[in-house]
Amino acid sequence: MKNREHRLTFFLLIPVVLVLVAYVLYPSLRTFFESLQSDGGLTLSNYQDFFSQESKTNLEALWNSVYISVLSVVASGLIGIPLALIFNRYQFPGRGLFATAAIMPIVLPSLVGVMAFMFLYGESGLIPNLVKDLFGLKEVPFQIGGVSGILIVHAYTMYVYFYMMVSAAIGKIDPSLEEAASNLGASKFKVFWKVTFPLMTPAIVGASLLVFMISMASFSAPFLLAGGYRVLSLQIYFSKINGDMEIAATQSVILSVVSIGFLLLMRWYQNRKDYRMASKGIGAHRSEVKNPVMKWVMAAVGVIGVIILLLPHFTILLLSLVPDGTWTFQTYPSTFNFENFRLLFEDPNIFKPLKNSLVLAVIATAGNLVFGVIASYVLVKRKFVGKSFIDILVMIPWALPATVIGMNLVFAFNEKSIFSFGQILVGTFWILPLAYFIRHIPLVVRSTNAVLEQLDDSIEEASRSLGAKWFYTFRKVILPIIMPGVLSGTLLAFVESVGEFPTSVLLYTISNRPISIEIMNQLRMFNMGQAAAYGMIQITLIALVLLISNKFFGVKAERSLT
């Protein structure tokens, strides 16, 4: 019996190890070895050049990336944590609507979100020009761009991680702990600082980690808003298009080390103390705001907040209705119809990027589904030597910036290898679905792990003891139970693939250009309406997936993030 189980574990482990070694470990090692190349030999000269005073550009880009990421964490936390406390601790008119609106930035893909902010708050944006016209000013009073623009976009799109993760933590806090502290004479501030805040710490640390890593990997906001401001993710892209591949490899390794180092640091900090509760009380309750003035002040602030939160979405919707060629020298668009959507679905050339994105995403997500289920089952339900190493390999794509993953694939598959079946993949159709597949392995594995860890081993043992083969047990017993968690991660991987931009811009070809690349092309040609129409398709897909995950599988967005 034991030998049979060992053989089963071995056969399940083979495809998992092969995929991780071939498409996660091998590309990363190829990038590292490429960074050691100079004049045909192995050397550390590329790293010496990176950190030398003569090469201030790279050091400046590294410092700017870390600087922006830290500020993004602070700004996102200052918005997200207070919102989580207010919406989860107080009851006032409109609270439910405001709490729902607070997660709306999550349905904006990164590129579409940056585009919306450009249309809203850029030099020719709607809001600055509206203020200029209202007050009769000669020039627009403000515009976003550079560091401030990147931070504003990051704060808007990333505070959601703090809001959702802290909200989930607050919902699990036993109110009796805070009540006991109050009964012992502690002030409200002391109760919060000594009881509530420590219990929220894992969520805050987790959100900080997530925001820092996303900021370090940020590409869309610096690409469109940075101007001359350099960040490392952009430096990698510029080095690649300029043909400085050894420098691009070195920059990729440095960015990887910083991102993974921060991950390890935050995990160490999180594990320093035990934040679990010994009691099993009911979830936190909300207090009614009794002061009528404060009640309606909070409601008014909530209404203003909802308007600000939804403006980017309404802007993309509005611009998607503006036919190309009708908004040129005018300050505001004046013609609205569904021409852009008609062309999108009737003109084969305009529809092709959407078709490409859907086909590429379906192929990549199908691979994520199959691989994610097998890998998760092996990691959770099987015992073998090297499990921790396999778990680390599974999570590496989550820690690595998308730009680095793209460069890893460039170095690994720009020549024939056994892992590409003797083919050169760079410049072909298949490189993009492979990139999407690698990027989103952790999404499916993590969501599947969550349900498999809750599945009692006795269920599988009972089926096997009644004579059922392993595959029959897995297909008829285990898979139906874990399917909600599997599909929630799979759907999220699908929409992320549809909107993927950083890896696409490094790997696409004209024939397989996805929707994110076409948005950039339309913006360059000043076809704002068509770019916004593509953006609305992405927003609609993401909203539908989140709705389906919540309504049919009972999986809320915050569970997909943690």
Side-chain angles (χ1 to χ4, degrees), residues 169 384 432 511:
F384 57 92
L432 276 184
S511 60

Side-chain angles (χ1 to χ4, degrees), residues 402-415:
T403 316
V404 173
I405 290 177
M407 289 306 304
N408 288 350
L409 293 180
V410 169
F411 291 120
F413 300 116
N414 61 356
E415 58 185 37

Side-chain angles (χ1 to χ4, degrees), residues 344-387:
L344 200 155
F345 290 105
E346 290 184 6
D347 188 326
N349 291 326
I350 296 177
F351 180 74
K352 188 175 181 181
L354 175 58
K355 178 185 175 182
N356 285 342
S357 281
L358 293 174
V359 171
L360 293 168
V362 166
I363 294 172
T365 308
N368 286 133
L369 174 63
V370 175
F371 177 82
V373 170
I374 296 174
S376 181
Y377 178 83
V378 168
L379 287 171
V380 175
K381 295 298 182 181
R382 294 280 155 176
K383 296 180 180 179
F384 57 92
V385 177
K387 180 184 284 192

Side-chain angles (χ1 to χ4, degrees), residues 504-560:
S504 299
V505 79
L506 290 169
L507 300 169
Y508 82 98
T509 63
I510 295 299
S511 60
N512 73 348
R513 69 190 188 281
I515 194 171
S516 57
I517 298 301
E518 191 59 23
I519 288 175
M520 281 302 307
N521 292 338
Q522 295 295 332
L523 287 175
R524 285 171 179 157
M525 295 185 292
F526 297 99
N527 296 335
M528 311 303 181
Q530 198 63 65
Y534 283 121
M536 278 306 302
I537 296 294
Q538 288 185 303
I539 291 172
T540 303
L541 278 172
I542 294 173
L544 282 174
V545 165
L546 291 178
L547 178 65
I548 291 170
S549 295
N550 188 9
K551 191 169 183 67
F552 294 99
F553 304 128
V555 179
K556 295 188 177 181
E558 61 263 25
R559 284 178 57 189
S560 300

Side-chain angles (χ1 to χ4, degrees), residues 73 158 161-163 165-166 202-212:
V73 170
M158 298 177 191
Y161 299 113
F162 277 96
Y163 171 74
M165 295 175 78
V166 172
I204 294 172
V205 171
S208 299
L209 164 65
L210 200 56
V211 170
F212 183 91

Side-chain angles (χ1 to χ4, degrees), residues 46-55 58-59 62 250 254:
N46 292 323
Y47 290 94
Q48 291 171 348
D49 291 342
F50 186 99
F51 289 105
S52 68
Q53 290 300 318
E54 291 79 13
S55 179
N58 287 322
L59 283 175
L62 175 59
T250 306
I254 297 296

